[in-house]
Amino acid sequence: MNLTDHLQEQVRLAAERGTPLAIRGGGSKAFYGRAVEGEPLELAGHRGVVGHEPTELVVTARAGTPLAELEALLAEQGQMLPFEPPHFGIPLPGPLPLAGEGGKDASRPISIATVGGMVAAGLSGPARPWAGAVRDAVLGVKLLNGRGEVLTFGGQVMKNVAGYDLSRLMAGALGTLGVILEVSLKVIPKPAQVLTLVQEASAPEAAARLSAWGRLPLPISASLHLDGRLHIRLSGTGLGVAAARNAIGGEAADDAVWAGVREQRLDFFRAEGPLWRLSLPPAAPALDLAGATLAEWGGALRWLRTEAPAAKVRAAAAVAGGHATLFRGHDGTGEVFHPLPPAALILHRRLKQALDPEGILNPGRMYAEL
Amino acid sequence: MLAPEILAEFAALLGPERARADADTRALYARDETPRSCTPEAVLFPASHDEVAGLVRLALRHKLPLTPRGAGSGNVGGALPAPGSLVVSFECMNRVLEFDPDNRLVVVEPGVVTDDIDRLARSKGLMYAPDPGSGAYCRIGGNLAMNAAGPRAVKYGATRDHVLALRAVTGAGREIRTGSRTTKYATGYDLTRLLVGSEGTLALITEATLRLVPAPERIANLRVCYAGNRAACEAIIRVMRQAVVPSALEFMDRRSIEAIRAYGGAEGLPEGTRAVLMVAADGAHDDVPRQIAALEKALAGEGLIEIQSGFTEEEIARLWTARKSLSMAVKKIAPLKINEDVVVPVTRLAELVEAIDAMGRRHRVPLVAFGHAGNGNLHVNIMVHQDDAEEMERARACRRELVETVMRLAGSLSGEHGIGSEKRGFLPLEIEADTLALMRALKQTFDPQGILNPGKKLPD
C-alpha cells in the first residue's frame, strides 16, 4: 500500500508545529541507538515491492515492506541481498524461527524487520567484508525530508555519478536525515555452493590464518571466531569451494551457525550486561579489556561483553585504530556511538539542518546533538 | 593575473617554486582532456596536508576560486580552470604514507598515480581493483573526485567502493577525517561516500585510505562475436543473471566493428561479425576454467558466431587486438570525439543501442558505442569536425536526444567520467528541482563561499 500522501501530511504538520517524530518500521531494531521522545511515525503500512525484474539485479521496495517478504521473493528467483542483513526483533533469548527458516508454526513470532529500517540502521551480516555493506547495495532512495518534501536520489542503475551521492548517506543515518519511503537495492545471484568449515584456533592463530587467507583469491564469505574455534564459510562454484577447502582445511560444520551469529541467537549474545560492537582493523590484536569476545568479518568486527567503563572501551578501540558502539544493554540515554570530533560534528549538524531544518526527524537517535 | 602581493602570500606558504604565475606554467594548466581551455591566474603545487589547509585559508581571505587538479586526464572539464581561478595541482603530493598488507589497505596522497598503487599492492599478492583506462598516468585524487571506474567495476565496483577513509580540507578551511581504517563504516554520517565523486566541489582530499583485495592467481578471456547488436545485448543479460560474475564484460557495437575494419584492425574477426563482447574471468587457478565454462554457456545463444578463449598472456593479447585498435580507429572517422558516458539498466541496453543507431542516421553523425556493458555503462562517441559549424549543430541535437533517450530508459547521464562543466546543463533532466536545491544546500554547507571548483558538478 502506498501511504506517501498520508506520511507526507504527517511530516508537514509535525514540521509546522515543531513536533519531534519517532520513525518506526517493524520496531525490530528499536534497541539500536539512543531513545527518541516523539510522536510515532509508522512506516509499516507503506509496503510493497514496486519493481523487480528478475533479469535485472535490482529490486525496489517501499520502506514498510517486511524484510522476510523481500528475501523470500528474491530467493524464488535464486537471488539474495549481498549484505545479509540481520532481522533481529525476535524476542531474546530463544531460538525462534525466521520466515523461511523452518518456521512452520504461523502463530509464533517471526521476523518483523522492514526494508526501510534495514537501510536506516545500516547493519550488515556475516558477508559484509566480502560482499559489501547495506550502503554499497543502495542504488537509489526516495525519501521525505524534514519539511515533508519528497526527494529522490540515485536510481536503479549500477553506476551513477550525477549529483552528490546522497542515497548512501541515508544508510546508517538512523532516520535522522529523512523518512525513507522507497529504496532500490542491488541484488546478487545466490552462490551455487556454500560450505562451512570449523577448526581449532586461538585468537592470535585465527588472526594469522585469516590474514594469510585474505591475500589469496579464496571464496571466503564469512568468518567467526569464538571460544577457540574458527568457523569459515566458502561460497562460490563447486570447484572453487572444493579447491578452497583443500587450501584451508578443517571439518565441515552446520551452515546454521551464520544465521545464529547474524541474529544474535548464539549463547554468547544471551548473557546480561552491555554488549559492545567494535570496529577494528582486521589484524588488530585483542583489546586489553576483561570480558568475552566474538570476532566476525575476518577480525574487523568484534562483539565484546564487558563491564568495563564506556570511556575505557572507547579509548581502547580508538588506540587500536577503530571505534566502539554500545550495541545492547544500555538505557538509551547516554552516548551509544563513538563521539564525533568537533569539525565533523559541525558538518553533521549542518547536514541535519539542510535535510531537516526543524530537527523533527528522530532527534537524538544517533547523537544527542543531532 | 594574480596581484603580486597576493602571489607573494602563496609563495610564502609554498615557496616560490610551487606558487607560480608565469605565463608558461599557466598555459600548461589551462586545459584538461576537454576540448576547451581557460588560463588560470596562478598554479599552486602544495606538498602536504597543512599546505593545502593553508592555501584554502588564503583563498578564502582573498575570495579566490580554486580548481583542483590531478593529472588533467578527465574529459568532462572537472579540472578545466574556472575563470579567475587558481589551479591546485596535487602532483607534489605523491607519497604512499603507509602500506599495510595485513590489514589490506594503503594510505596515499592524492597525487599518486593509480597504477602505482596497484603495482605496490601486487608486490604482496594484493591488488587495487579500480582500473580506469587512464590508470597508467591518472592520479588517485582525480579518481576519487570523479568516482572513476574501469572494466573490472562489474565485479569489483568503482573507486567509491574501495575507499575506507579520507582526510580533507573543506571549502570553509576546516580539516575533516571521514571513515576509518576498518572495513566497517565509521561513526556518524557516511561523508566518505559523499566526498568521493563530488568532483572537488565540497572539499580537497589530502589523504585517502584505500582497500586492497587479493590479486587473482589467474585471468582468462573470451572474445565473443555476434551477428548483431541485439544478440550481444541479450547475451549480456544472460551473463548478468547467472552466478559467475565476470571480471570484465565489454561491448563493441556494429559501428565500432565497422571502424575497426576500416582501420585494418579486424584481422581474425569472423565474417558477419557485427557486435563483439570481451569477457574476462579471474580467481584461483583451478576455478578460472570452471568460470569460463559457465560464462561460455551463458554467452551462447541466437546470433552467436564464434567464441574464442584465451588463457595465456599471448592468447589474451591476441584476442584484445581488435578492441585495442578501437580508439585509434575511431579517431580516423573524425578528429573530435564528443564522449558521452551514459548508463541504463542492463535490460534496456538493446533498446539504447538501437536508438543510438537510429539517431546517428537521423542526425547524420557517426556514433560509435562501446563500453562496460555489464553495468549498463556505454561510451557513446559522437565523431565530428570541430570547424564544421553545421555538423557541430547536428551533433548537439543528437547529444540532446541521446540524453533524453537515456532518461526515458531510467538511466543516468554519467557512469564514471563525471559531470564537470560539460554535462551539468543536462542535470535537471535527471535530478528533480527539490533534490537539486538540497544538493546546493550541501555545497553551501561544505563550501560556504563557493571557492571550490566553481562551475562544476551542479547546474547554475
Side-chain angles (χ1 to χ4, degrees), chain A residues 7-346:
Chain A
L7 292 165
Q8 190 168 20
E9 191 54 35
Q10 280 180 278
V11 174
R12 272 196 200 135
L13 277 176
E16 264 171 36
R17 295 171 190 168
T19 314
L21 293 173
I23 308 164
R24 203 185 117 96
S28 63
K29 295 165 189 81
F31 67 88
Y32 184 52
R34 304 174 75 259
V36 177
E37 296 279 331
E39 289 286 311
L41 183 72
E42 299 285 351
L43 268 289
H46 183 65
R47 60 187 280 179
V49 172
V50 293
H52 180 232
E53 278 287 329
T55 49
E56 282 176 35
L57 295 171
V58 180
V59 65
T60 303
R62 294 197 187 105
T65 309
L67 179 54
E69 188 180 307
L70 179 72
E71 290 187 329
L73 176 80
L74 294 175
E76 276 173 30
Q77 303 292 338
Q79 296 175 341
M80 62 182 283
L81 295 171
F83 47 90
E84 294 183 309
H87 291 234
F88 296 142
I90 297 147
L92 287 169
L96 293 168
L98 289 179
E101 238 180 57
K104 291 192 181 72
D105 183 354
S107 67
R108 299 179 76 188
I110 56 163
S111 169
I112 51 170
T114 62
V115 172
M118 168 190 86
V119 174
L123 296 169
S124 303
R128 189 264 174 258
W130 297 277
V134 183
R135 65 190 59 201
D136 296 309
V138 172
L139 300 176
V141 165
K142 188 190 271 188
L143 59 77
L144 287 169
N145 68 6
R147 289 201 195 96
E149 294 160 346
V150 177
L151 303 179
T152 311
F153 309 128
Q156 278 128 52
V157 291
M158 295 292 165
K159 287 162 98 180
N160 183 343
V161 293
Y164 296 128
D165 189 356
L166 285 161
S167 50
R168 269 129 184 163
L169 202 57
M170 300 304 143
L174 288 169
T176 58
L177 295 180
V179 180
I180 297 173
L181 289 174
E182 206 173 285
V183 57
S184 292
L185 296 160
K186 181 172 97 173
V187 303
I188 56 172
K190 281 201 164 185
Q193 201 187 343
V194 175
L195 174 69
T196 302
L197 297 170
V198 64
Q199 49 188 253
E200 304 288 317
S202 67
E205 280 165 355
R209 283 177 209 170
L210 285 163
S211 174
W213 295 333
R215 292 195 219 171
L216 301 173
L218 298 168
I220 295 176
S221 66
S223 82
L224 160 67
H225 184 262
L226 177 66
D227 297 337
R229 283 153 67 84
L230 175 63
H231 280 81
I232 293 289
R233 183 177 63 188
L234 302 169
S235 305
T237 62
L239 201 74
V241 167
R245 180 183 188 169
N246 290 336
I248 284 176
E251 300 290 313
D254 191 348
D255 293 333
V257 68
W258 305 112
V261 67
R262 186 190 72 205
E263 300 304 333
Q264 305 198 332
R265 290 189 307 229
L266 303 181
D267 286 341
F268 171 88
F269 292 105
R270 290 189 199 166
E272 293 291 315
L275 174 68
W276 288 86
R277 184 179 200 260
L278 309 177
S279 265
L280 297 173
L287 301 189
D288 186 18
L289 295 165
T293 299
L294 180 155
E296 288 188 76
W297 299 2
L301 173 64
R302 317 237 183 126
W303 299 98
L304 174 67
R305 287 218 160 274
T306 184
E307 296 294 339
K312 208 175 154 191
V313 178
R314 294 195 199 281
V319 166
H323 62 266
T325 300
L326 183 48
F327 199 72
R328 292 187 193 263
H330 61 88
D331 63 5
T333 58
E335 281 307 332
V336 165
F337 297 99
H338 216 82
L340 293 168
L345 185 59
I346 292 171

Side-chain angles (χ1 to χ4, degrees), chain B residues 166-283:
Chain B
L166 295 172
R167 189 180 186 197
V169 179
T170 68
R174 281 199 190 86
E175 177 192 348
I176 51 168
R177 283 177 184 274
T178 74
S180 77
R181 299 162 58 95
T182 59
T183 35
K184 184 189 163 284
Y185 56 89
T187 48
Y189 299 140
D190 188 0
L191 302 180
T192 310
R193 280 173 179 78
L194 186 62
L195 292 191
V196 177
S198 66
E199 305 191 3
T201 62
L202 300 179
L204 300 181
I205 294 168
T206 57
E207 245 178 71
T209 305
L210 306 173
R211 185 168 75 94
L212 304 172
V213 298
E217 286 172 1
R218 188 180 183 188
I219 297 167
N221 267 257
L222 294 169
R223 189 191 67 194
V224 198
C225 300
Y226 292 95
N229 288 333
R230 181 163 280 275
C233 290
E234 275 162 15
I236 293 164
I237 296 172
R238 290 196 299 274
V239 168
M240 293 312 292
R241 69 185 295 196
Q242 51 86 52
V244 174
V245 182
S247 58
L249 181 46
E250 301 287 299
F251 167 75
M252 289 187 280
D253 77 340
R254 189 172 59 85
R255 294 284 189 151
S256 306
I257 306 300
E258 282 170 12
I260 291 169
R261 279 195 205 286
Y263 181 68
E267 227 172 290
L269 285 185
E271 195 64 22
T273 299
R274 290 196 186 79
V276 171
L277 296 181
M278 299 298 302
V279 187
D282 69 6

Side-chain angles (χ1 to χ4, degrees), chain B residues 12-164:
Chain B
L13 175 72
L14 304 170
E17 283 302 301
R18 293 192 284 111
R20 307 177 72 119
D22 58 283
D24 287 351
T25 307
R26 288 163 56 220
L28 266 176
Y29 288 84
R31 55 168 71 239
D32 60 4
E33 286 297 311
T34 317
R36 290 207 282 143
S37 71
C38 174
T39 306
E41 299 295 297
V43 186
L44 308 173
F45 300 89
S48 68
H49 169 88
D50 289 343
E51 288 185 358
V52 173
L55 74 84
V56 170
R57 281 194 291 271
L58 275 179
L60 279 170
R61 188 177 325 139
H62 298 295
K63 300 195 175 3
L64 290 166
L66 300 173
T67 303
R69 177 187 174 98
S73 55
N75 58 12
V76 294
L80 182 72
S85 73
L86 281 57
V87 166
V88 182
S89 172
F90 285 92
E91 283 156 281
C92 298
M93 290 182 69
N94 57 0
R95 291 173 300 172
V96 173
L97 300 173
E98 191 185 340
F99 176 36
D100 181 352
D102 282 342
N103 285 309
R104 294 194 294 286
L105 60 85
V106 61
V107 185
V108 295
E109 289 185 329
V112 178
V113 171
T114 307
D115 276 1
D116 287 347
I117 299 171
D118 187 47
R119 252 191 296 281
L120 178 67
R122 285 185 195 258
S123 70
K124 297 287 180 196
L126 299 167
M127 75 168 177
Y128 177 63
D131 57 342
S134 51
Y137 47 91
C138 66
R139 294 171 191 270
I140 192 69
N143 292 186
L144 294 163
M146 309 316 262
N147 189 26
R152 281 203 290 255
V154 65
K155 178 168 179 176
Y156 293 97
T159 301
R160 183 178 281 136
D161 302 306
H162 296 84
V163 184
L164 294 174

